[in-house]
Amino acid sequence: MGALCGIGAYVSWGLLPLFLKLLVGVPPVQILAHRVLWSVLLLVVIVTVVRGWGAVRTACRSRRTLLLLCASAVLIAVNWLVYIWAVVNGHVLEASLGYFINPLVNVAIGVAVLGERLRPVQMVAVAIAAVGVAVLALSGTGALWISIMLALSFGTYGLVRKVVAVDALAGLTLETALLAPIAAGVLAWAALGGDAPFGAPAFGQSGRIDMLLMTAGVVTALPLLMFAAAARRMKYATLGLFQYIAPSLQFAEAVWLFGEPLRTVHLVTFGLIWAGCALYAVDTLRAAGAVPATAAE
């Protein structure tokens, strides 16, 4: 059950560009606002069904917890907005690169902030991936800022959520609730200016767009809940290997479905990052006892 939830979560994230491409024409900030508001409504229902309001109330009593959740809410909003912008503007390739880099950014954050130590193989893996990023940066090709923003915002988000004392469901509920007033303000401003596709016949296909925007809550919350369920049932080292499913699917979609140009420098960059990720994954499995030592040598 845990493995199925983990795979389901990462496959859902990997297929997210297909959903967002259906919303091309809707301003990214409005897509984000709908994603927040419909997620809040769904999460309120889920928290009520599972009787999770106790955890939400406990979190609200702690000023430190609320401040940390404000920080994590800003970080996840930035991450979502950059990702949405990247997809609707034809930069899925750079978005997938960001999530390939993310696991190694997490390692770097662990060393720099939490004082964690790297094993020699991990150091080599991070160095190989860093060379890949440098190659793309020096080439001046592609929107590398997208990859860096996605990796850093999600990596820092993970750090904040690691230290905040709240469970996954209560934390996500509070994060979206904190963002909800801003999201409502964005949509109200757009409606007043006549620039809100939701419920506006003048935009054409309004009913279809409305349904897609309302579905954004499920598309946002369901993978996160599946991930939380998987994290409770699986070894974290094993679950960590699943994270490469999402960017792999995004890479395939970018090249084969969306026709984004794949240049030689991209192949070099992705090759180095894939090598770093593979080395890191094998070392992680070996440390967890899932792979014999000789397999990683």
Side-chain angles (χ1 to χ4, degrees), residues 87-153:
V87 173
V88 300
N89 286 280
H91 293 287
V92 179
L93 202 61
E94 285 84 357
S96 72
L97 176 60
Y99 288 112
F100 274 120
I101 296 171
N102 179 246
L104 302 177
V105 167
N106 291 342
V107 174
I109 289 175
V111 172
V113 179
L114 300 177
E116 297 176 354
R117 284 187 160 186
L118 290 181
R119 294 185 294 273
V121 175
Q122 290 178 320
M123 293 176 65
V124 173
V126 172
I128 291 172
V131 171
V133 174
V135 167
L136 188 59
L138 292 173
S139 74
T141 302
L144 184 60
W145 68 268
I146 294 172
S147 309
I148 300 300
M149 282 290 292
L150 289 175
L152 288 179
S153 60

Short mmCIF file of all heavy atoms in Angstrom, two decimals, residues 87-153:
data_model
loop_
_atom_site.label_atom_id
_atom_site.label_comp_id
_atom_site.label_asym_id
_atom_site.label_seq_id
_atom_site.Cartn_x
_atom_site.Cartn_y
_atom_site.Cartn_z
N VAL A 87 5.51 25.89 -17.08
CA VAL A 87 4.75 24.97 -17.92
C VAL A 87 3.97 25.71 -18.99
O VAL A 87 4.03 25.37 -20.18
CB VAL A 87 3.81 24.10 -17.06
CG1 VAL A 87 2.88 23.26 -17.96
CG2 VAL A 87 4.61 23.18 -16.15
N VAL A 88 3.22 26.74 -18.59
CA VAL A 88 2.36 27.43 -19.57
C VAL A 88 3.18 28.26 -20.57
O VAL A 88 2.66 28.64 -21.63
CB VAL A 88 1.31 28.31 -18.87
CG1 VAL A 88 0.41 27.47 -17.98
CG2 VAL A 88 1.93 29.44 -18.09
N ASN A 89 4.45 28.52 -20.25
CA ASN A 89 5.30 29.28 -21.17
C ASN A 89 6.33 28.41 -21.89
O ASN A 89 7.31 28.92 -22.44
CB ASN A 89 6.01 30.41 -20.42
CG ASN A 89 5.08 31.56 -20.09
OD1 ASN A 89 4.79 32.40 -20.94
ND2 ASN A 89 4.57 31.59 -18.87
N GLY A 90 6.13 27.09 -21.86
CA GLY A 90 6.97 26.19 -22.66
C GLY A 90 8.34 25.91 -22.11
O GLY A 90 9.30 25.76 -22.87
N HIS A 91 8.48 25.84 -20.77
CA HIS A 91 9.77 25.56 -20.15
C HIS A 91 9.69 24.33 -19.24
O HIS A 91 10.24 24.32 -18.14
CB HIS A 91 10.26 26.77 -19.35
CG HIS A 91 10.59 27.96 -20.18
ND1 HIS A 91 11.74 28.02 -20.96
CD2 HIS A 91 9.94 29.12 -20.37
CE1 HIS A 91 11.77 29.19 -21.59
NE2 HIS A 91 10.69 29.87 -21.26
N VAL A 92 9.00 23.29 -19.71
CA VAL A 92 8.86 22.07 -18.91
C VAL A 92 10.22 21.39 -18.74
O VAL A 92 10.50 20.78 -17.72
CB VAL A 92 7.85 21.10 -19.56
CG1 VAL A 92 7.73 19.81 -18.75
CG2 VAL A 92 6.48 21.77 -19.68
N LEU A 93 11.09 21.52 -19.75
CA LEU A 93 12.42 20.92 -19.67
C LEU A 93 13.20 21.50 -18.48
O LEU A 93 13.82 20.76 -17.71
CB LEU A 93 13.18 21.17 -20.98
CG LEU A 93 14.34 20.23 -21.31
CD1 LEU A 93 13.85 18.79 -21.43
CD2 LEU A 93 15.00 20.67 -22.60
N GLU A 94 13.17 22.82 -18.35
CA GLU A 94 13.87 23.45 -17.23
C GLU A 94 13.22 23.09 -15.89
O GLU A 94 13.90 22.95 -14.87
CB GLU A 94 13.88 24.98 -17.40
CG GLU A 94 14.86 25.49 -18.44
CD GLU A 94 14.30 25.45 -19.85
OE1 GLU A 94 13.16 24.97 -20.04
OE2 GLU A 94 15.00 25.91 -20.78
N ALA A 95 11.89 22.93 -15.90
CA ALA A 95 11.20 22.53 -14.67
C ALA A 95 11.62 21.13 -14.23
O ALA A 95 11.89 20.87 -13.05
CB ALA A 95 9.68 22.58 -14.87
N SER A 96 11.72 20.23 -15.20
CA SER A 96 12.15 18.86 -14.86
C SER A 96 13.58 18.86 -14.34
O SER A 96 13.91 18.14 -13.39
CB SER A 96 12.02 17.93 -16.08
OG SER A 96 13.02 18.20 -17.06
N LEU A 97 14.43 19.71 -14.91
CA LEU A 97 15.81 19.82 -14.43
C LEU A 97 15.83 20.27 -12.97
O LEU A 97 16.62 19.75 -12.16
CB LEU A 97 16.58 20.82 -15.30
CG LEU A 97 18.02 21.13 -14.88
CD1 LEU A 97 18.88 19.87 -14.89
CD2 LEU A 97 18.62 22.20 -15.79
N GLY A 98 14.96 21.21 -12.62
CA GLY A 98 14.90 21.67 -11.24
C GLY A 98 14.61 20.57 -10.25
O GLY A 98 15.21 20.50 -9.17
N TYR A 99 13.71 19.66 -10.63
CA TYR A 99 13.36 18.58 -9.71
C TYR A 99 14.35 17.42 -9.75
O TYR A 99 14.38 16.61 -8.82
CB TYR A 99 11.92 18.12 -9.96
CG TYR A 99 10.93 19.16 -9.47
CD1 TYR A 99 10.15 19.88 -10.36
CD2 TYR A 99 10.83 19.44 -8.11
CE1 TYR A 99 9.28 20.86 -9.91
CE2 TYR A 99 9.96 20.42 -7.65
CZ TYR A 99 9.19 21.12 -8.55
OH TYR A 99 8.35 22.10 -8.09
N PHE A 100 15.16 17.33 -10.80
CA PHE A 100 16.29 16.40 -10.76
C PHE A 100 17.37 16.92 -9.82
O PHE A 100 18.03 16.15 -9.11
CB PHE A 100 16.89 16.21 -12.17
CG PHE A 100 16.20 15.14 -12.99
CD1 PHE A 100 15.61 15.46 -14.20
CD2 PHE A 100 16.16 13.82 -12.55
CE1 PHE A 100 14.98 14.48 -14.96
CE2 PHE A 100 15.53 12.84 -13.31
CZ PHE A 100 14.94 13.17 -14.51
N ILE A 101 17.57 18.25 -9.83
CA ILE A 101 18.57 18.86 -8.95
C ILE A 101 18.13 18.81 -7.49
O ILE A 101 18.97 18.69 -6.59
CB ILE A 101 18.81 20.32 -9.37
CG1 ILE A 101 19.39 20.40 -10.77
CG2 ILE A 101 19.75 21.03 -8.39
CD1 ILE A 101 19.45 21.83 -11.32
N ASN A 102 16.83 18.89 -7.24
CA ASN A 102 16.31 19.07 -5.88
C ASN A 102 16.85 18.10 -4.83
O ASN A 102 17.23 18.53 -3.73
CB ASN A 102 14.79 19.03 -5.92
CG ASN A 102 14.17 19.17 -4.55
OD1 ASN A 102 13.55 18.24 -4.05
ND2 ASN A 102 14.37 20.31 -3.92
N PRO A 103 16.92 16.78 -5.12
CA PRO A 103 17.44 15.88 -4.09
C PRO A 103 18.86 16.23 -3.65
O PRO A 103 19.21 16.10 -2.47
CB PRO A 103 17.40 14.50 -4.77
CG PRO A 103 16.38 14.64 -5.83
CD PRO A 103 16.49 16.04 -6.32
N LEU A 104 19.67 16.69 -4.60
CA LEU A 104 21.05 17.03 -4.27
C LEU A 104 21.13 18.39 -3.58
O LEU A 104 22.01 18.62 -2.76
CB LEU A 104 21.90 16.99 -5.54
CG LEU A 104 21.87 15.63 -6.25
CD1 LEU A 104 22.66 15.67 -7.54
CD2 LEU A 104 22.40 14.52 -5.35
N VAL A 105 20.19 19.28 -3.89
CA VAL A 105 20.08 20.54 -3.16
C VAL A 105 19.72 20.25 -1.70
O VAL A 105 20.24 20.89 -0.77
CB VAL A 105 19.03 21.47 -3.80
CG1 VAL A 105 18.68 22.63 -2.87
CG2 VAL A 105 19.53 22.00 -5.13
N ASN A 106 18.84 19.27 -1.49
CA ASN A 106 18.48 18.88 -0.13
C ASN A 106 19.72 18.44 0.65
O ASN A 106 19.87 18.75 1.84
CB ASN A 106 17.45 17.75 -0.15
CG ASN A 106 16.09 18.21 -0.66
OD1 ASN A 106 15.80 19.40 -0.68
ND2 ASN A 106 15.27 17.27 -1.07
N VAL A 107 20.58 17.70 -0.03
CA VAL A 107 21.82 17.24 0.62
C VAL A 107 22.67 18.45 1.00
O VAL A 107 23.19 18.54 2.12
CB VAL A 107 22.61 16.31 -0.33
CG1 VAL A 107 23.96 15.97 0.27
CG2 VAL A 107 21.82 15.03 -0.58
N ALA A 108 22.82 19.39 0.07
CA ALA A 108 23.63 20.58 0.34
C ALA A 108 23.06 21.40 1.49
O ALA A 108 23.80 21.91 2.34
CB ALA A 108 23.72 21.44 -0.92
N ILE A 109 21.72 21.53 1.55
CA ILE A 109 21.08 22.26 2.64
C ILE A 109 21.32 21.55 3.96
O ILE A 109 21.57 22.19 5.00
CB ILE A 109 19.57 22.42 2.37
CG1 ILE A 109 19.35 23.41 1.22
CG2 ILE A 109 18.84 22.89 3.63
CD1 ILE A 109 17.90 23.54 0.80
N GLY A 110 21.25 20.22 3.93
CA GLY A 110 21.50 19.45 5.15
C GLY A 110 22.89 19.70 5.70
O GLY A 110 23.09 19.83 6.92
N VAL A 111 23.86 19.81 4.81
CA VAL A 111 25.25 20.07 5.23
C VAL A 111 25.40 21.50 5.74
O VAL A 111 25.97 21.75 6.81
CB VAL A 111 26.23 19.81 4.06
CG1 VAL A 111 27.64 20.25 4.44
CG2 VAL A 111 26.21 18.32 3.70
N ALA A 112 24.89 22.46 4.98
CA ALA A 112 25.10 23.87 5.30
C ALA A 112 24.30 24.34 6.51
O ALA A 112 24.78 25.16 7.30
CB ALA A 112 24.74 24.73 4.09
N VAL A 113 23.08 23.82 6.67
CA VAL A 113 22.19 24.33 7.71
C VAL A 113 22.09 23.40 8.91
O VAL A 113 22.09 23.86 10.06
CB VAL A 113 20.78 24.59 7.12
CG1 VAL A 113 19.83 25.11 8.20
CG2 VAL A 113 20.85 25.58 5.97
N LEU A 114 21.99 22.11 8.65
CA LEU A 114 21.76 21.16 9.74
C LEU A 114 23.05 20.50 10.24
O LEU A 114 23.01 19.70 11.17
CB LEU A 114 20.78 20.07 9.27
CG LEU A 114 19.40 20.57 8.83
CD1 LEU A 114 18.55 19.41 8.33
CD2 LEU A 114 18.69 21.32 9.96
N GLY A 115 24.17 20.83 9.60
CA GLY A 115 25.44 20.27 10.05
C GLY A 115 25.60 18.79 9.75
O GLY A 115 26.39 18.10 10.40
N GLU A 116 24.85 18.29 8.76
CA GLU A 116 24.96 16.88 8.40
C GLU A 116 26.27 16.62 7.66
O GLU A 116 26.82 17.54 7.03
CB GLU A 116 23.76 16.46 7.55
CG GLU A 116 22.43 16.57 8.30
CD GLU A 116 21.24 16.24 7.41
OE1 GLU A 116 21.46 16.04 6.19
OE2 GLU A 116 20.12 16.17 7.92
N ARG A 117 26.73 15.39 7.71
CA ARG A 117 27.97 15.03 7.03
C ARG A 117 27.68 14.19 5.80
O ARG A 117 26.80 13.33 5.81
CB ARG A 117 28.88 14.24 7.97
CG ARG A 117 29.57 15.10 9.02
CD ARG A 117 30.57 14.27 9.80
NE ARG A 117 31.56 15.09 10.46
CZ ARG A 117 32.60 14.61 11.11
NH1 ARG A 117 32.78 13.30 11.19
NH2 ARG A 117 33.47 15.42 11.67
N LEU A 118 28.45 14.48 4.75
CA LEU A 118 28.31 13.70 3.52
C LEU A 118 29.29 12.54 3.51
O LEU A 118 30.44 12.68 3.92
CB LEU A 118 28.59 14.58 2.30
CG LEU A 118 27.56 15.66 1.94
CD1 LEU A 118 28.02 16.38 0.68
CD2 LEU A 118 26.19 15.06 1.75
N ARG A 119 28.79 11.41 3.01
CA ARG A 119 29.70 10.31 2.74
C ARG A 119 30.47 10.63 1.46
O ARG A 119 30.01 11.42 0.64
CB ARG A 119 28.91 9.01 2.59
CG ARG A 119 28.23 8.56 3.88
CD ARG A 119 27.58 7.19 3.71
NE ARG A 119 26.47 7.23 2.77
CZ ARG A 119 25.22 7.53 3.12
NH1 ARG A 119 24.94 7.84 4.38
NH2 ARG A 119 24.25 7.55 2.23
N PRO A 120 31.66 10.04 1.28
CA PRO A 120 32.47 10.37 0.10
C PRO A 120 31.73 10.23 -1.23
O PRO A 120 31.87 11.08 -2.12
CB PRO A 120 33.63 9.37 0.19
CG PRO A 120 33.77 9.12 1.66
CD PRO A 120 32.36 9.13 2.20
N VAL A 121 30.95 9.17 -1.36
CA VAL A 121 30.21 8.96 -2.61
C VAL A 121 29.19 10.08 -2.82
O VAL A 121 28.99 10.55 -3.95
CB VAL A 121 29.52 7.59 -2.62
CG1 VAL A 121 28.66 7.42 -3.87
CG2 VAL A 121 30.56 6.48 -2.55
N GLN A 122 28.55 10.53 -1.74
CA GLN A 122 27.59 11.61 -1.85
C GLN A 122 28.27 12.91 -2.30
O GLN A 122 27.70 13.67 -3.08
CB GLN A 122 26.88 11.83 -0.51
CG GLN A 122 25.94 10.71 -0.13
CD GLN A 122 25.30 10.94 1.23
OE1 GLN A 122 25.97 11.41 2.17
NE2 GLN A 122 24.03 10.64 1.35
N MET A 123 29.47 13.14 -1.79
CA MET A 123 30.22 14.34 -2.19
C MET A 123 30.50 14.32 -3.69
O MET A 123 30.36 15.33 -4.38
CB MET A 123 31.52 14.43 -1.39
CG MET A 123 31.32 14.68 0.09
SD MET A 123 32.87 14.66 1.02
CE MET A 123 33.70 16.08 0.33
N VAL A 124 30.89 13.16 -4.19
CA VAL A 124 31.16 13.02 -5.63
C VAL A 124 29.88 13.24 -6.43
O VAL A 124 29.88 13.93 -7.47
CB VAL A 124 31.76 11.63 -5.93
CG1 VAL A 124 31.88 11.43 -7.44
CG2 VAL A 124 33.12 11.49 -5.26
N ALA A 125 28.75 12.69 -5.95
CA ALA A 125 27.47 12.83 -6.64
C ALA A 125 27.05 14.29 -6.75
O ALA A 125 26.64 14.75 -7.82
CB ALA A 125 26.39 12.03 -5.91
N VAL A 126 27.18 15.02 -5.66
CA VAL A 126 26.82 16.44 -5.66
C VAL A 126 27.76 17.22 -6.60
O VAL A 126 27.31 18.10 -7.34
CB VAL A 126 26.89 17.02 -4.23
CG1 VAL A 126 26.70 18.54 -4.26
CG2 VAL A 126 25.81 16.38 -3.36
N ALA A 127 29.04 16.89 -6.59
CA ALA A 127 30.00 17.59 -7.44
C ALA A 127 29.70 17.36 -8.93
O ALA A 127 29.76 18.29 -9.73
CB ALA A 127 31.42 17.12 -7.12
N ILE A 128 29.34 16.13 -9.29
CA ILE A 128 29.01 15.82 -10.69
C ILE A 128 27.79 16.63 -11.14
O ILE A 128 27.77 17.22 -12.22
CB ILE A 128 28.76 14.31 -10.87
CG1 ILE A 128 30.05 13.52 -10.68
CG2 ILE A 128 28.15 14.02 -12.24
CD1 ILE A 128 29.85 12.01 -10.66
N ALA A 129 26.76 16.65 -10.29
CA ALA A 129 25.55 17.41 -10.63
C ALA A 129 25.85 18.90 -10.73
O ALA A 129 25.32 19.60 -11.60
CB ALA A 129 24.47 17.16 -9.59
N ALA A 130 26.71 19.41 -9.84
CA ALA A 130 27.08 20.83 -9.87
C ALA A 130 27.77 21.18 -11.19
O ALA A 130 27.55 22.26 -11.75
CB ALA A 130 27.97 21.17 -8.69
N VAL A 131 28.61 20.28 -11.67
CA VAL A 131 29.28 20.51 -12.97
C VAL A 131 28.22 20.59 -14.08
O VAL A 131 28.31 21.44 -14.98
CB VAL A 131 30.29 19.38 -13.27
CG1 VAL A 131 30.80 19.49 -14.70
CG2 VAL A 131 31.45 19.44 -12.29
N GLY A 132 27.22 19.72 -14.00
CA GLY A 132 26.14 19.76 -15.00
C GLY A 132 25.42 21.09 -15.02
O GLY A 132 25.16 21.66 -16.09
N VAL A 133 25.10 21.62 -13.85
CA VAL A 133 24.44 22.93 -13.76
C VAL A 133 25.35 24.02 -14.29
O VAL A 133 24.92 24.93 -15.02
CB VAL A 133 24.03 23.24 -12.30
CG1 VAL A 133 23.48 24.65 -12.18
CG2 VAL A 133 23.00 22.23 -11.81
N ALA A 134 26.64 23.94 -13.97
CA ALA A 134 27.60 24.95 -14.44
C ALA A 134 27.71 24.94 -15.96
O ALA A 134 27.82 26.01 -16.59
CB ALA A 134 28.97 24.68 -13.82
N VAL A 135 27.66 23.77 -16.56
CA VAL A 135 27.72 23.66 -18.02
C VAL A 135 26.57 24.43 -18.66
O VAL A 135 26.76 25.21 -19.61
CB VAL A 135 27.70 22.19 -18.47
CG1 VAL A 135 27.44 22.08 -19.97
CG2 VAL A 135 29.01 21.49 -18.10
N LEU A 136 25.37 24.24 -18.14
CA LEU A 136 24.20 24.92 -18.69
C LEU A 136 24.28 26.42 -18.44
O LEU A 136 23.93 27.23 -19.30
CB LEU A 136 22.91 24.35 -18.08
CG LEU A 136 21.60 24.83 -18.70
CD1 LEU A 136 21.55 24.50 -20.19
CD2 LEU A 136 20.40 24.24 -17.98
N ALA A 137 24.75 26.79 -17.26
CA ALA A 137 24.86 28.22 -16.92
C ALA A 137 25.84 28.92 -17.85
O ALA A 137 25.58 30.03 -18.35
CB ALA A 137 25.29 28.38 -15.47
N LEU A 138 26.98 28.31 -18.10
CA LEU A 138 28.02 28.93 -18.93
C LEU A 138 27.62 28.97 -20.40
O LEU A 138 28.09 29.83 -21.16
CB LEU A 138 29.34 28.17 -18.77
CG LEU A 138 30.00 28.28 -17.39
CD1 LEU A 138 31.20 27.35 -17.30
CD2 LEU A 138 30.43 29.73 -17.12
N SER A 139 26.74 28.06 -20.80
CA SER A 139 26.32 28.03 -22.21
C SER A 139 25.37 29.18 -22.54
O SER A 139 25.23 29.55 -23.70
CB SER A 139 25.63 26.70 -22.53
OG SER A 139 24.33 26.66 -21.95
N GLY A 140 24.71 29.71 -21.52
CA GLY A 140 23.74 30.78 -21.75
C GLY A 140 22.48 30.29 -22.44
O GLY A 140 21.69 31.08 -22.95
N THR A 141 22.27 28.98 -22.44
CA THR A 141 21.12 28.38 -23.11
C THR A 141 20.06 28.00 -22.08
O THR A 141 20.36 27.44 -21.05
CB THR A 141 21.53 27.11 -23.88
OG1 THR A 141 22.54 27.45 -24.81
CG2 THR A 141 20.34 26.51 -24.62
N GLY A 142 18.81 28.30 -22.40
CA GLY A 142 17.73 27.88 -21.51
C GLY A 142 17.53 28.83 -20.35
O GLY A 142 18.36 29.67 -20.04
N ALA A 143 16.39 28.70 -19.69
CA ALA A 143 16.04 29.54 -18.55
C ALA A 143 16.46 28.82 -17.27
O ALA A 143 15.63 28.24 -16.57
CB ALA A 143 14.54 29.85 -18.56
N LEU A 144 17.75 28.86 -16.97
CA LEU A 144 18.28 28.13 -15.82
C LEU A 144 17.69 28.64 -14.51
O LEU A 144 17.60 27.89 -13.54
CB LEU A 144 19.81 28.25 -15.79
CG LEU A 144 20.53 27.46 -14.69
CD1 LEU A 144 20.25 25.97 -14.81
CD2 LEU A 144 22.04 27.72 -14.75
N TRP A 145 17.27 29.91 -14.48
CA TRP A 145 16.71 30.46 -13.24
C TRP A 145 15.49 29.67 -12.79
O TRP A 145 15.22 29.56 -11.58
CB TRP A 145 16.35 31.94 -13.43
CG TRP A 145 15.20 32.19 -14.36
CD1 TRP A 145 15.25 32.42 -15.69
CD2 TRP A 145 13.80 32.25 -14.00
NE1 TRP A 145 13.99 32.60 -16.21
CE2 TRP A 145 13.09 32.51 -15.20
CE3 TRP A 145 13.11 32.09 -12.81
CZ2 TRP A 145 11.69 32.62 -15.21
CZ3 TRP A 145 11.71 32.22 -12.82
CH2 TRP A 145 11.02 32.47 -14.01
N ILE A 146 14.74 29.12 -13.75
CA ILE A 146 13.57 28.31 -13.39
C ILE A 146 14.00 27.10 -12.59
O ILE A 146 13.44 26.78 -11.53
CB ILE A 146 12.80 27.88 -14.66
CG1 ILE A 146 12.20 29.10 -15.36
CG2 ILE A 146 11.71 26.87 -14.31
CD1 ILE A 146 11.59 28.77 -16.71
N SER A 147 15.00 26.38 -13.09
CA SER A 147 15.50 25.18 -12.42
C SER A 147 16.01 25.51 -11.03
O SER A 147 15.71 24.81 -10.05
CB SER A 147 16.61 24.53 -13.25
OG SER A 147 16.22 24.35 -14.58
N ILE A 148 16.80 26.58 -10.93
CA ILE A 148 17.39 26.96 -9.64
C ILE A 148 16.30 27.37 -8.65
O ILE A 148 16.32 26.97 -7.48
CB ILE A 148 18.40 28.10 -9.82
CG1 ILE A 148 19.55 27.67 -10.76
CG2 ILE A 148 18.95 28.55 -8.46
CD1 ILE A 148 20.32 26.48 -10.26
N MET A 149 15.34 28.17 -9.10
CA MET A 149 14.25 28.62 -8.22
C MET A 149 13.42 27.45 -7.72
O MET A 149 13.06 27.39 -6.53
CB MET A 149 13.37 29.62 -8.95
CG MET A 149 13.95 31.01 -9.04
SD MET A 149 13.98 31.85 -7.43
CE MET A 149 12.23 32.08 -7.13
N LEU A 150 13.10 26.52 -8.60
CA LEU A 150 12.30 25.37 -8.19
C LEU A 150 13.05 24.51 -7.18
O LEU A 150 12.49 24.09 -6.16
CB LEU A 150 11.91 24.54 -9.42
CG LEU A 150 10.88 25.16 -10.35
CD1 LEU A 150 10.68 24.29 -11.59
CD2 LEU A 150 9.54 25.35 -9.64
N ALA A 151 14.32 24.25 -7.46
CA ALA A 151 15.11 23.40 -6.56
C ALA A 151 15.31 24.06 -5.20
O ALA A 151 15.14 23.43 -4.16
CB ALA A 151 16.46 23.07 -7.20
N LEU A 152 15.66 25.34 -5.20
CA LEU A 152 15.93 26.03 -3.93
C LEU A 152 14.66 26.26 -3.12
O LEU A 152 14.66 26.07 -1.89
CB LEU A 152 16.61 27.37 -4.20
CG LEU A 152 18.06 27.31 -4.68
CD1 LEU A 152 18.60 28.71 -4.94
CD2 LEU A 152 18.94 26.58 -3.66
N SER A 153 13.56 26.65 -3.78
CA SER A 153 12.32 26.92 -3.04
C SER A 153 11.77 25.64 -2.43
O SER A 153 11.35 25.62 -1.26
CB SER A 153 11.27 27.58 -3.94
OG SER A 153 10.94 26.74 -5.04
#
